[in-house]
mmCIF file of all heavy atoms in Angstrom:
data_model
loop_
_atom_site.group_PDB
_atom_site.id
_atom_site.type_symbol
_atom_site.label_atom_id
_atom_site.label_comp_id
_atom_site.label_asym_id
_atom_site.label_seq_id
_atom_site.Cartn_x
_atom_site.Cartn_y
_atom_site.Cartn_z
ATOM 1 N N ASN O 1 -84.448 29.368 11.726
ATOM 2 C CA ASN O 1 -84.609 28.452 12.850
ATOM 3 C C ASN O 1 -83.880 29.075 14.031
ATOM 4 O O ASN O 1 -82.663 28.970 14.162
ATOM 5 C CB ASN O 1 -84.029 27.081 12.502
ATOM 6 C CG ASN O 1 -84.338 26.037 13.571
ATOM 7 O OD1 ASN O 1 -85.150 26.269 14.467
ATOM 8 N ND2 ASN O 1 -83.679 24.898 13.476
ATOM 9 N N LYS O 2 -84.618 29.781 14.889
ATOM 10 C CA LYS O 2 -84.009 30.497 16.011
ATOM 11 C C LYS O 2 -83.641 29.524 17.130
ATOM 12 O O LYS O 2 -84.483 28.736 17.566
ATOM 13 C CB LYS O 2 -84.970 31.559 16.552
ATOM 14 C CG LYS O 2 -84.326 32.459 17.617
ATOM 15 C CD LYS O 2 -85.348 33.357 18.275
ATOM 16 C CE LYS O 2 -86.082 32.669 19.401
ATOM 17 N NZ LYS O 2 -85.201 32.367 20.572
ATOM 18 N N PRO O 3 -82.418 29.595 17.613
ATOM 19 C CA PRO O 3 -82.045 28.717 18.736
ATOM 20 C C PRO O 3 -82.592 29.239 20.058
ATOM 21 O O PRO O 3 -82.828 30.446 20.221
ATOM 22 C CB PRO O 3 -80.513 28.765 18.721
ATOM 23 C CG PRO O 3 -80.193 30.114 18.141
ATOM 24 C CD PRO O 3 -81.280 30.398 17.134
ATOM 25 N N SER O 4 -82.805 28.347 20.981
ATOM 26 C CA SER O 4 -83.217 28.743 22.321
ATOM 27 C C SER O 4 -82.128 29.597 22.967
ATOM 28 O O SER O 4 -80.938 29.342 22.799
ATOM 29 C CB SER O 4 -83.460 27.493 23.168
ATOM 30 O OG SER O 4 -83.700 27.840 24.516
ATOM 31 N N GLY O 5 -82.547 30.622 23.696
ATOM 32 C CA GLY O 5 -81.606 31.488 24.403
ATOM 33 C C GLY O 5 -81.318 32.784 23.686
ATOM 34 O O GLY O 5 -80.830 33.740 24.309
ATOM 35 N N LEU O 6 -81.587 32.860 22.392
ATOM 36 C CA LEU O 6 -81.280 34.061 21.615
ATOM 37 C C LEU O 6 -82.513 34.949 21.526
ATOM 38 O O LEU O 6 -83.574 34.518 21.082
ATOM 39 C CB LEU O 6 -80.801 33.678 20.218
ATOM 40 C CG LEU O 6 -80.408 34.837 19.289
ATOM 41 C CD1 LEU O 6 -79.273 35.653 19.879
ATOM 42 C CD2 LEU O 6 -80.041 34.306 17.908
ATOM 43 N N GLN O 7 -82.364 36.194 21.933
ATOM 44 C CA GLN O 7 -83.469 37.146 21.899
ATOM 45 C C GLN O 7 -83.658 37.678 20.482
ATOM 46 O O GLN O 7 -82.688 37.824 19.729
ATOM 47 C CB GLN O 7 -83.180 38.298 22.872
ATOM 48 C CG GLN O 7 -84.346 39.216 23.137
ATOM 49 C CD GLN O 7 -84.220 39.913 24.481
ATOM 50 O OE1 GLN O 7 -84.166 39.261 25.528
ATOM 51 N NE2 GLN O 7 -84.185 41.229 24.464
ATOM 52 N N VAL O 8 -84.901 37.999 20.121
ATOM 53 C CA VAL O 8 -85.190 38.467 18.764
ATOM 54 C C VAL O 8 -84.828 39.942 18.597
ATOM 55 O O VAL O 8 -84.086 40.324 17.682
ATOM 56 C CB VAL O 8 -86.674 38.246 18.413
ATOM 57 C CG1 VAL O 8 -87.002 38.856 17.048
ATOM 58 C CG2 VAL O 8 -86.992 36.756 18.409
ATOM 59 N N LEU O 9 -85.332 40.804 19.480
ATOM 60 C CA LEU O 9 -85.107 42.250 19.397
ATOM 61 C C LEU O 9 -84.410 42.752 20.654
ATOM 62 O O LEU O 9 -84.488 42.109 21.709
ATOM 63 C CB LEU O 9 -86.439 42.984 19.220
ATOM 64 C CG LEU O 9 -87.267 42.617 17.976
ATOM 65 C CD1 LEU O 9 -88.593 43.357 18.000
ATOM 66 C CD2 LEU O 9 -86.502 42.912 16.700
ATOM 67 N N PRO O 10 -83.729 43.900 20.581
ATOM 68 C CA PRO O 10 -83.040 44.435 21.759
ATOM 69 C C PRO O 10 -84.000 44.702 22.911
ATOM 70 O O PRO O 10 -85.137 45.128 22.708
ATOM 71 C CB PRO O 10 -82.426 45.747 21.241
ATOM 72 C CG PRO O 10 -82.310 45.568 19.769
ATOM 73 C CD PRO O 10 -83.496 44.730 19.382
ATOM 74 N N GLY O 11 -83.508 44.448 24.123
ATOM 75 C CA GLY O 11 -84.298 44.706 25.322
ATOM 76 C C GLY O 11 -83.572 44.212 26.549
ATOM 77 O O GLY O 11 -82.899 43.181 26.503
ATOM 78 N N GLY O 12 -83.660 44.955 27.646
ATOM 79 C CA GLY O 12 -83.022 44.540 28.893
ATOM 80 C C GLY O 12 -81.515 44.414 28.746
ATOM 81 O O GLY O 12 -80.844 45.297 28.209
ATOM 82 N N LEU O 13 -80.973 43.284 29.201
ATOM 83 C CA LEU O 13 -79.522 43.064 29.135
ATOM 84 C C LEU O 13 -79.042 42.798 27.714
ATOM 85 O O LEU O 13 -77.846 42.891 27.433
ATOM 86 C CB LEU O 13 -79.142 41.877 30.021
ATOM 87 C CG LEU O 13 -79.333 42.059 31.525
ATOM 88 C CD1 LEU O 13 -79.004 40.762 32.248
ATOM 89 C CD2 LEU O 13 -78.457 43.184 32.050
ATOM 90 N N PHE O 14 -79.965 42.461 26.811
ATOM 91 C CA PHE O 14 -79.583 42.067 25.453
ATOM 92 C C PHE O 14 -79.836 43.210 24.478
ATOM 93 O O PHE O 14 -80.956 43.397 23.994
ATOM 94 C CB PHE O 14 -80.351 40.818 25.025
ATOM 95 C CG PHE O 14 -80.058 39.612 25.872
ATOM 96 C CD1 PHE O 14 -80.845 39.316 26.976
ATOM 97 C CD2 PHE O 14 -78.983 38.785 25.577
ATOM 98 C CE1 PHE O 14 -80.577 38.217 27.757
ATOM 99 C CE2 PHE O 14 -78.701 37.676 26.366
ATOM 100 C CZ PHE O 14 -79.498 37.390 27.458
ATOM 101 N N GLN O 15 -78.794 43.986 24.215
ATOM 102 C CA GLN O 15 -78.907 45.088 23.272
ATOM 103 C C GLN O 15 -78.231 44.776 21.941
ATOM 104 O O GLN O 15 -78.623 45.301 20.908
ATOM 105 C CB GLN O 15 -78.290 46.359 23.876
ATOM 106 C CG GLN O 15 -79.037 46.882 25.077
ATOM 107 C CD GLN O 15 -80.457 47.306 24.750
ATOM 108 O OE1 GLN O 15 -80.720 47.887 23.699
ATOM 109 N NE2 GLN O 15 -81.392 47.038 25.654
ATOM 110 N N GLN O 16 -77.228 43.927 21.971
ATOM 111 C CA GLN O 16 -76.515 43.564 20.750
ATOM 112 C C GLN O 16 -76.734 42.095 20.389
ATOM 113 O O GLN O 16 -76.934 41.765 19.213
ATOM 114 C CB GLN O 16 -75.018 43.835 20.900
ATOM 115 C CG GLN O 16 -74.220 43.527 19.635
ATOM 116 C CD GLN O 16 -72.741 43.786 19.827
ATOM 117 O OE1 GLN O 16 -72.083 43.111 20.618
ATOM 118 N NE2 GLN O 16 -72.214 44.781 19.123
ATOM 119 N N ARG O 17 -76.728 41.226 21.351
ATOM 120 C CA ARG O 17 -76.813 39.788 21.092
ATOM 121 C C ARG O 17 -78.257 39.382 20.814
ATOM 122 O O ARG O 17 -78.942 38.797 21.656
ATOM 123 C CB ARG O 17 -76.206 39.003 22.255
ATOM 124 C CG ARG O 17 -74.723 39.334 22.448
ATOM 125 C CD ARG O 17 -74.055 38.483 23.493
ATOM 126 N NE ARG O 17 -72.642 38.831 23.589
ATOM 127 C CZ ARG O 17 -71.728 38.151 24.272
ATOM 128 N NH1 ARG O 17 -72.090 37.048 24.928
ATOM 129 N NH2 ARG O 17 -70.479 38.530 24.297
ATOM 130 N N THR O 18 -78.707 39.712 19.591
ATOM 131 C CA THR O 18 -80.075 39.463 19.169
ATOM 132 C C THR O 18 -80.087 38.951 17.730
ATOM 133 O O THR O 18 -79.099 39.081 16.991
ATOM 134 C CB THR O 18 -80.920 40.743 19.228
ATOM 135 O OG1 THR O 18 -80.419 41.680 18.259
ATOM 136 C CG2 THR O 18 -80.879 41.376 20.618
ATOM 137 N N VAL O 19 -81.224 38.391 17.335
ATOM 138 C CA VAL O 19 -81.412 37.985 15.940
ATOM 139 C C VAL O 19 -81.288 39.197 15.022
ATOM 140 O O VAL O 19 -80.665 39.133 13.957
ATOM 141 C CB VAL O 19 -82.795 37.324 15.751
ATOM 142 C CG1 VAL O 19 -83.069 37.086 14.268
ATOM 143 C CG2 VAL O 19 -82.884 36.022 16.522
ATOM 144 N N LEU O 20 -81.868 40.319 15.435
ATOM 145 C CA LEU O 20 -81.849 41.524 14.601
ATOM 146 C C LEU O 20 -80.423 41.954 14.281
ATOM 147 O O LEU O 20 -80.115 42.330 13.151
ATOM 148 C CB LEU O 20 -82.599 42.655 15.306
ATOM 149 C CG LEU O 20 -82.763 43.941 14.490
ATOM 150 C CD1 LEU O 20 -83.581 43.685 13.232
ATOM 151 C CD2 LEU O 20 -83.417 45.032 15.343
ATOM 152 N N THR O 21 -79.535 41.878 15.263
ATOM 153 C CA THR O 21 -78.140 42.255 15.023
ATOM 154 C C THR O 21 -77.493 41.351 13.986
ATOM 155 O O THR O 21 -76.806 41.817 13.077
ATOM 156 C CB THR O 21 -77.337 42.200 16.330
ATOM 157 O OG1 THR O 21 -77.871 43.147 17.259
ATOM 158 C CG2 THR O 21 -75.862 42.530 16.084
ATOM 159 N N GLN O 22 -77.708 40.043 14.096
ATOM 160 C CA GLN O 22 -77.118 39.117 13.124
ATOM 161 C C GLN O 22 -77.655 39.379 11.718
ATOM 162 O O GLN O 22 -76.920 39.281 10.732
ATOM 163 C CB GLN O 22 -77.379 37.671 13.539
ATOM 164 C CG GLN O 22 -76.598 37.208 14.767
ATOM 165 C CD GLN O 22 -75.099 37.110 14.523
ATOM 166 O OE1 GLN O 22 -74.621 37.217 13.391
ATOM 167 N NE2 GLN O 22 -74.341 36.908 15.601
ATOM 168 N N LEU O 23 -78.932 39.731 11.601
ATOM 169 C CA LEU O 23 -79.490 40.067 10.299
ATOM 170 C C LEU O 23 -78.836 41.322 9.732
ATOM 171 O O LEU O 23 -78.537 41.399 8.535
ATOM 172 C CB LEU O 23 -81.007 40.265 10.410
ATOM 173 C CG LEU O 23 -81.834 39.004 10.641
ATOM 174 C CD1 LEU O 23 -83.278 39.370 10.971
ATOM 175 C CD2 LEU O 23 -81.784 38.091 9.425
ATOM 176 N N CYS O 24 -78.600 42.314 10.582
ATOM 177 C CA CYS O 24 -77.917 43.546 10.147
ATOM 178 C C CYS O 24 -76.501 43.246 9.675
ATOM 179 O O CYS O 24 -76.061 43.734 8.628
ATOM 180 C CB CYS O 24 -77.873 44.559 11.286
ATOM 181 S SG CYS O 24 -79.461 45.236 11.776
ATOM 182 N N TRP O 25 -75.787 42.440 10.454
ATOM 183 C CA TRP O 25 -74.409 42.110 10.084
ATOM 184 C C TRP O 25 -74.349 41.318 8.787
ATOM 185 O O TRP O 25 -73.452 41.519 7.965
ATOM 186 C CB TRP O 25 -73.748 41.315 11.212
ATOM 187 C CG TRP O 25 -73.441 42.120 12.431
ATOM 188 C CD1 TRP O 25 -73.484 43.479 12.556
ATOM 189 C CD2 TRP O 25 -73.037 41.629 13.711
ATOM 190 N NE1 TRP O 25 -73.146 43.865 13.830
ATOM 191 C CE2 TRP O 25 -72.860 42.746 14.561
ATOM 192 C CE3 TRP O 25 -72.818 40.350 14.229
ATOM 193 C CZ2 TRP O 25 -72.466 42.616 15.887
ATOM 194 C CZ3 TRP O 25 -72.422 40.215 15.552
ATOM 195 C CH2 TRP O 25 -72.243 41.344 16.372
ATOM 196 N N SER O 26 -75.306 40.425 8.591
ATOM 197 C CA SER O 26 -75.266 39.572 7.402
ATOM 198 C C SER O 26 -75.439 40.375 6.127
ATOM 199 O O SER O 26 -74.816 40.090 5.105
ATOM 200 C CB SER O 26 -76.348 38.490 7.491
ATOM 201 O OG SER O 26 -77.640 39.048 7.348
ATOM 202 N N ILE O 27 -76.278 41.400 6.161
ATOM 203 C CA ILE O 27 -76.559 42.167 4.949
ATOM 204 C C ILE O 27 -75.388 43.062 4.585
ATOM 205 O O ILE O 27 -75.199 43.430 3.419
ATOM 206 C CB ILE O 27 -77.857 42.997 5.116
ATOM 207 C CG1 ILE O 27 -78.514 43.248 3.753
ATOM 208 C CG2 ILE O 27 -77.593 44.290 5.827
ATOM 209 C CD1 ILE O 27 -79.084 42.010 3.119
ATOM 210 N N LYS O 28 -74.569 43.427 5.583
ATOM 211 C CA LYS O 28 -73.425 44.299 5.307
ATOM 212 C C LYS O 28 -72.389 43.610 4.429
ATOM 213 O O LYS O 28 -71.591 44.273 3.758
ATOM 214 C CB LYS O 28 -72.768 44.746 6.620
ATOM 215 C CG LYS O 28 -73.593 45.738 7.413
ATOM 216 C CD LYS O 28 -72.882 46.149 8.687
ATOM 217 C CE LYS O 28 -73.711 47.150 9.475
ATOM 218 N NZ LYS O 28 -73.029 47.540 10.750
ATOM 219 N N LYS O 29 -72.398 42.274 4.416
ATOM 220 C CA LYS O 29 -71.419 41.533 3.616
ATOM 221 C C LYS O 29 -71.891 41.334 2.188
ATOM 222 O O LYS O 29 -71.165 40.784 1.365
ATOM 223 C CB LYS O 29 -71.150 40.174 4.266
ATOM 224 C CG LYS O 29 -70.566 40.274 5.664
ATOM 225 C CD LYS O 29 -70.100 38.920 6.158
ATOM 226 C CE LYS O 29 -71.232 37.944 6.303
ATOM 227 N NZ LYS O 29 -70.786 36.645 6.867
ATOM 228 N N GLN O 30 -73.118 41.800 1.887
ATOM 229 C CA GLN O 30 -73.669 41.605 0.556
ATOM 230 C C GLN O 30 -73.629 42.897 -0.246
ATOM 231 O O GLN O 30 -73.260 43.953 0.245
ATOM 232 C CB GLN O 30 -75.116 41.113 0.669
ATOM 233 C CG GLN O 30 -75.249 39.801 1.425
ATOM 234 C CD GLN O 30 -76.698 39.359 1.499
ATOM 235 O OE1 GLN O 30 -77.483 39.630 0.614
ATOM 236 N NE2 GLN O 30 -77.043 38.672 2.566
ATOM 237 N N ASN O 31 -74.046 42.779 -1.487
ATOM 238 C CA ASN O 31 -74.141 43.949 -2.340
ATOM 239 C C ASN O 31 -75.284 44.831 -1.853
ATOM 240 O O ASN O 31 -76.135 44.400 -1.072
ATOM 241 C CB ASN O 31 -74.401 43.520 -3.785
ATOM 242 C CG ASN O 31 -73.221 42.753 -4.363
ATOM 243 O OD1 ASN O 31 -72.078 43.061 -4.048
ATOM 244 N ND2 ASN O 31 -73.505 41.764 -5.188
ATOM 245 N N PRO O 32 -75.353 46.099 -2.300
ATOM 246 C CA PRO O 32 -76.467 46.955 -1.903
ATOM 247 C C PRO O 32 -77.803 46.269 -2.193
ATOM 248 O O PRO O 32 -77.940 45.571 -3.198
ATOM 249 C CB PRO O 32 -76.284 48.196 -2.778
ATOM 250 C CG PRO O 32 -74.816 48.232 -3.063
ATOM 251 C CD PRO O 32 -74.403 46.791 -3.172
ATOM 252 N N PRO O 33 -78.795 46.433 -1.324
ATOM 253 C CA PRO O 33 -80.076 45.745 -1.506
ATOM 254 C C PRO O 33 -80.784 46.177 -2.780
ATOM 255 O O PRO O 33 -80.557 47.260 -3.304
ATOM 256 C CB PRO O 33 -80.869 46.156 -0.258
ATOM 257 C CG PRO O 33 -80.245 47.443 0.182
ATOM 258 C CD PRO O 33 -78.792 47.311 -0.149
#
């Protein structure tokens, strides 16, 4: 459930603050895929 205001993929001013970044960070806390 994506909140309003959050960009999905990097682009323009938003290179880190994206859904993709949060997905990357979340998997790092788990065991190897």
Side-chain angles (χ1 to χ4, degrees):
N1 188 11
K2 187 188 84 67
S4 173
L6 181 60
Q7 191 155 300
V8 175
L9 301 176
L13 293 176
F14 297 92
Q15 294 297 321
Q16 182 181 65
R17 299 186 178 190
T18 66
V19 172
L20 185 62
T21 298
Q22 289 292 350
L23 289 170
C24 293
W25 288 349
S26 70
I27 207 69
K28 289 181 180 179
K29 299 190 296 184
Q30 300 180 31
N31 294 325

